[in-house]
Every structure is written in structure tokens, then in C-alpha cells.
Amino acid sequence: MRLRAKLYIPRQIKRWLPTSLFGRSLLIIVLPVAVMQIAVTWAFFDAHWQTVNSRLSEGLAGDVAWAVASYQDDPSPEAVTKLADRAEESLALSIAFQKGKKLPTSRRTSLVPALDRSLQDALADRLNVPFWFDTTRYTAYIDIRVQVSGGVLQIYALRDRAFATQGHIFIVWMVVATLLLTAVAILFIRNQVRAIERLADAADAFGRGGDIDFKPHGAREVRQAAMAFLAMKARIQRHIEQRTALLASVSHDLRTPLTRLKLEMALAEPCERMDAMKGDLAEMEHMIDEYLAFARGEGGEAPQTVDLAELIGGVVAAALRAGAAVESSVPPELTVELRPNAFRRALANLIDNAKAYGDHVKVTAAARITGGVEIVVEDDGPGIPEDRYEEAFKPFNRLDESRNQNEKGVGLGLAIARDMARGLGGDLVLERSTMGGLRAVMRLP
């Protein structure tokens, strides 16, 4: 039995990790590069730069100690002048004697404390008298002062004598190289991720009933996935076309004998059973229409942007003409992208379902804060138990135990409405209505 090791990442860290493929791919490339750069920089400063600075500081401290010892051997003004000239010519040190002065009591700290520590250690090793220095007052010089008899010996040394001032160039080159590599990585990763995004957009558009011009491109694996998607899309479209053709044939074959029966009944002598037979024929015709509507769908209709108030108003007006007590409330200028004919049929099914089980029906629509629109159809009927909401969406399920018997329905109204909503990327859910009955909420993007 082969065991696979799994990297454990704490949940707190996962919250800060990127969730997109682009972010994760970039992290995979940038993070190792950044860690490597930090490690190399740390090794450079710890093993090389500090060593170089220590050696330079020790050399400067030796020159300062020589100047102090020379002064102590002969503190006369002539000797001091001769010492200053010799130090300026041979050691690039500027020496001046400040008679009666004392060392400063405070000193500003450098931005890089390690530099001050290396010079402090070097001067402490070479000098046995009090001293003071400042590396921040001048950009190109270091101010060193030594307490001697009669005053202070002030020495100015070039900054290069104590520190490797070009060390920052290494850091600059490291940063520039990191930024350049990151920019190249972003360009290549963005190009690869764009191919996956286009594949996702094409799949989403096809799922919503639309179609966009899509050609496989990108890496070989992405192209293989795109070709598989196009092949699946072609198979689904062929299946839909075949099913539509089959249903059209079935519709024609079934309607022909129904029409003959209706004609024969119209020519037959009236009798007591004639009305019942006509009712059976009308119910059979309605059931066939509902079956075909459920199976066919509206996959061939292209989505378009429509005025929701006008669209809902037309469906509600048709319900009012049929004798339903329906009121609607839809804000003007509310637009949404959908398939108009499919939406009309879905909304009509919801209204028919509501008026079949209730006396009053209310239709409202509003824009959602999170985006999209929400259409609500509710009634004052007996409603459905909450534990049977999902069961109500099953085709051919009429839930006769909890609601009144629908004389003509076959249990497809809610199924057709949800299929339409989900085909547009939305959904249809059931809730308890404030009117006492059922509340159907259709959410569309």
C-alpha cells in the first residue's frame, strides 16, 4: 500500500494565499526566487560584507592609532603640523588639534548599526584612550575624535577607508533582477491563464444557452481540454437537434388522431357522456403540450436584454384576461438578459400554479444588492411543507396531499421554471409566503 505525503498548511495561512490560478502560479515562481535572493543577500552581508568592513575598519583604526601615538611622542605645534601634512599626503587623513576641547557626550546612530559596531570594535582594540566618532554627519567622511593631553585630536577620514560603500550596488542588482524575472513570469503566466479563462467563459456561455467564438490556444494540456469541450458541445447540440426533431414528429403524430377524435365528437349526436369525453380530450391535449414544453426547452433561443417591467406586464395581463386575481409591482427601467419566450412560459407556469392553489397572486421584481434581479410569485393558498420544497421541483410530482388537486396539471410547471432559471445561471427556490401560501423566488444574474 503506497502512502502519499500531504503538505499541511495552517488554516490561518491559507486565508492569505491566493485562490486564482494566476496568483498561485505566480506565487510558485516568485516565492522560491524571493527566498533565494534573501538567502544570497544574507550570506553576502554575513560572510563577505561584514568581513570586508571589519578589515577596512581595522586598517583605519591602525592609522588613527599611529597618529595618536605620533602626537603623544611630540605634542608641539610644529610636530602637529608636520603630522597633519604627512597624514594628509600618505594616509588621506585630515588631522586637527582642538586645544582644551572635550569629547561629545552623545552620538547619532547609523542606519546600519553593524557598520558602527565594526568601527567601534576596531578603534577599541587599537586605542587605549577615550575616543568618539560619527558616521552620519557627513556623507563622504567619518568624524573621529580622540581625547589626548591638552585637548582633542580630530581626524577626518574618507568613508571608503572604513566601509565597503559599494555593497548597496549588489542589493540593487538583486532587486532589479528579481523584478525583471517577475515581470517575465507575469507575462508568460498571464498568457497561459487567459487561455483557461476563455475556455471557462465559453463553457459558461454554452451552459447559459449562448455561443461565443472560441478557438483552442495556450499550452498543450489546455488545448486538449478545449478540444474535448468543443467535442462535447457538438455532441450535446446534435443530441438536442435530434431530440427536437423527434419531439416534432411525436407532436404531429399525436395531434393528428386527437384532431380526428375532436372532429368526430363534434359531428356525433349529443349525449350525457359527450361532455366528459371532450374534457378528457382537452386534458390529453394539455398534457401533450406540457410534456413537449418540458422536454424541448428553449435552448435554441438566444438571450437578449429586455425590459423586465414590460415582459412581466404582458404575462400578468394574460393571466388577468384568463380570470386570475393577480397584482404586480415591478420598477420601471429594470433590464435583464434572458430568453424572452422561455421566461414568459416559466413565469406563466408559476402564476398558473399560484392561481390554481390560491385566490390571490402577487408578482414582484427588484434588483438585488449583490447583482442581478429577483422575481417573486406568491399566493395565499395552503402552501407546501418546507421539507417537501425540493420534491415539488421533481417532474410529474403534484404533491396532491398538501395542495388542492390540479385538474389539468401534470407536475411540470415548477420544473420548467427552474430549468429556465438555471439555464441562465440563476435559480428558483421556494419559501413560505407572508400571504400564507407558497413563495417562488426566481433569481437571475
Side-chain angles (χ1 to χ4, degrees):
M1 180 177 180
R2 181 177 299 176
L3 298 178
R4 293 184 178 179
K6 184 178 181 180
L7 179 62
Y8 174 74
I9 301 177
R11 185 173 300 177
Q12 291 78 6
I13 299 180
K14 287 184 178 181
R15 296 177 181 176
W16 298 98
L17 294 178
T19 57
S20 64
L21 178 62
F22 175 77
R24 292 184 176 183
S25 301
L26 190 62
L27 183 64
I28 292 173
I29 295 177
V30 173
L31 185 61
V33 173
V35 171
M36 182 193 67
Q37 302 285 44
I38 294 173
V40 171
T41 304
W42 177 268
F44 170 79
F45 278 99
D46 186 62
H48 176 71
W49 202 46
Q50 288 291 350
T51 302
V52 172
N53 288 333
S54 298
R55 298 293 181 267
L56 292 174
S57 297
E58 290 174 359
L60 178 60
D63 294 341
V64 172
W66 170 83
V68 173
S70 298
Y71 170 82
Q72 290 175 343
D73 290 341
D74 186 1
S76 62
E78 295 79 6
V80 171
T81 302
K82 185 177 181 180
L83 174 63
D85 293 340
R86 185 179 299 177
E88 181 73 27
E89 181 180 353
S90 302
L91 304 176
L93 297 178
S94 177
I95 300 177
F97 177 70
Q98 297 178 348
K99 187 177 181 179
K101 294 289 186 177
K102 297 292 183 182
L103 295 178
T105 57
S106 61
R107 177 167 57 91
R108 289 179 294 182
T109 304
S110 173
L111 295 177
V112 185
L115 301 180
D116 285 358
R117 285 198 301 269
S118 63
L119 184 57
Q120 173 75 27
D121 295 340
L123 291 174
D125 289 341
R126 295 301 185 95
L127 298 175
N128 55 4
V129 292
F131 63 88
W132 176 94
F133 67 89
D134 188 356
T135 60
T136 61
R137 179 173 298 181
Y138 307 105
T139 57
Y141 295 92
I142 301 174
D143 184 4
I144 303 174
R145 303 180 189 184
V146 182
Q147 188 72 53
V148 294
S149 59
V152 172
L153 196 64
Q154 187 173 25
I155 304 172
Y156 288 100
L158 291 173
R159 195 177 186 87
D160 296 345
R161 293 288 311 277
F163 309 129
T165 56
Q166 300 301 319
H168 65 280
I169 300 298
F170 175 79
I171 300 178
V172 171
W173 277 109
M174 294 287 284
V175 172
V176 171
T178 301
L179 294 177
L180 182 61
L181 292 175
T182 303
V184 173
I186 290 176
L187 292 177
F188 278 92
I189 295 174
R190 182 69 260 178
N191 187 45
Q192 297 303 317
V193 172
R194 187 179 293 113
I196 300 176
E197 291 176 346
R198 290 179 179 176
L199 175 60
D201 293 339
D204 182 67
F206 180 66
R208 295 171 182 265
D211 193 10
I212 61 176
D213 187 17
F214 172 72
K215 294 181 179 179
H217 69 285
R220 181 180 61 185
E221 291 79 2
V222 179
R223 289 173 180 253
Q224 289 177 348
M227 294 298 296
F229 163 73
L230 292 177
M232 178 195 67
K233 175 184 173 185
R235 287 193 296 268
I236 293 176
Q237 288 177 335
R238 286 196 303 269
H239 171 72
I240 293 175
E241 292 173 356
Q242 292 173 358
R243 189 185 65 175
T244 303
L246 175 63
L247 291 174
S249 300
V250 170
S251 174
H252 179 270
D253 293 342
L254 290 178
R255 291 181 186 278
T256 300
L258 282 177
T259 302
R260 288 199 301 265
L261 287 174
K262 291 173 65 176
L263 179 61
E264 292 178 0
M265 293 181 63
L267 298 176
E269 293 292 334
C271 63
E272 296 180 357
R273 298 181 57 86
M274 190 63 64
D275 294 336
M277 294 172 64
K278 290 181 179 180
D280 291 339
L281 284 177
E283 185 176 354
M284 290 174 61
E285 188 174 14
H286 178 79
M287 292 171 63
I288 291 174
D289 292 339
E290 205 165 11
Y291 290 150
L292 294 177
F294 175 74
R296 182 173 63 251
E298 295 293 338
E301 185 182 8
Q304 54 184 286
T305 302
V306 298
D307 184 350
L308 198 59
E310 180 180 354
L311 194 60
I312 294 178
V315 179
V316 171
L320 290 173
R321 289 193 298 269
V326 184
E327 59 176 307
S328 62
S329 175
V330 183
E333 300 180 356
L334 184 61
T335 60
V336 64
E337 186 175 357
L338 47 73
R339 293 188 288 269
N341 292 332
F343 179 79
R344 288 191 187 94
R345 183 163 58 190
L347 183 61
N349 286 338
L350 293 178
I351 294 177
D352 290 341
N353 186 75
K355 74 178 183 180
Y357 303 120
D359 296 328
H360 298 86
V361 180
K362 184 177 181 181
V363 181
T364 58
R368 302 175 61 192
I369 299 178
T370 56
V373 297
E374 184 175 89
I375 301 98
V376 179
V377 179
E378 50 189 334
D379 60 70
D380 57 353
I384 297 176
E386 294 185 5
D387 58 349
R388 305 194 68 182
Y389 282 166
E390 286 300 318
E391 187 180 350
F393 288 108
K394 295 180 180 179
F396 315 112
N397 193 340
R398 297 166 60 181
L399 299 178
D400 293 333
E401 298 88 349
S402 58
R403 288 165 72 87
N404 297 332
Q405 182 76 14
N406 185 354
E407 294 296 336
K408 297 174 66 178
V410 293
L412 289 174
L414 292 176
I416 292 175
R418 171 175 272 192
D419 183 67
M420 187 281 305
R422 289 183 172 178
L424 293 172
D427 201 1
L428 176 66
V429 297
L430 299 180
E431 300 174 357
R432 189 68 181 177
S433 172
T434 56
M435 299 172 62
L438 189 65
R439 187 172 187 262
V441 182
M442 183 186 298
R443 299 184 179 96
L444 299 178

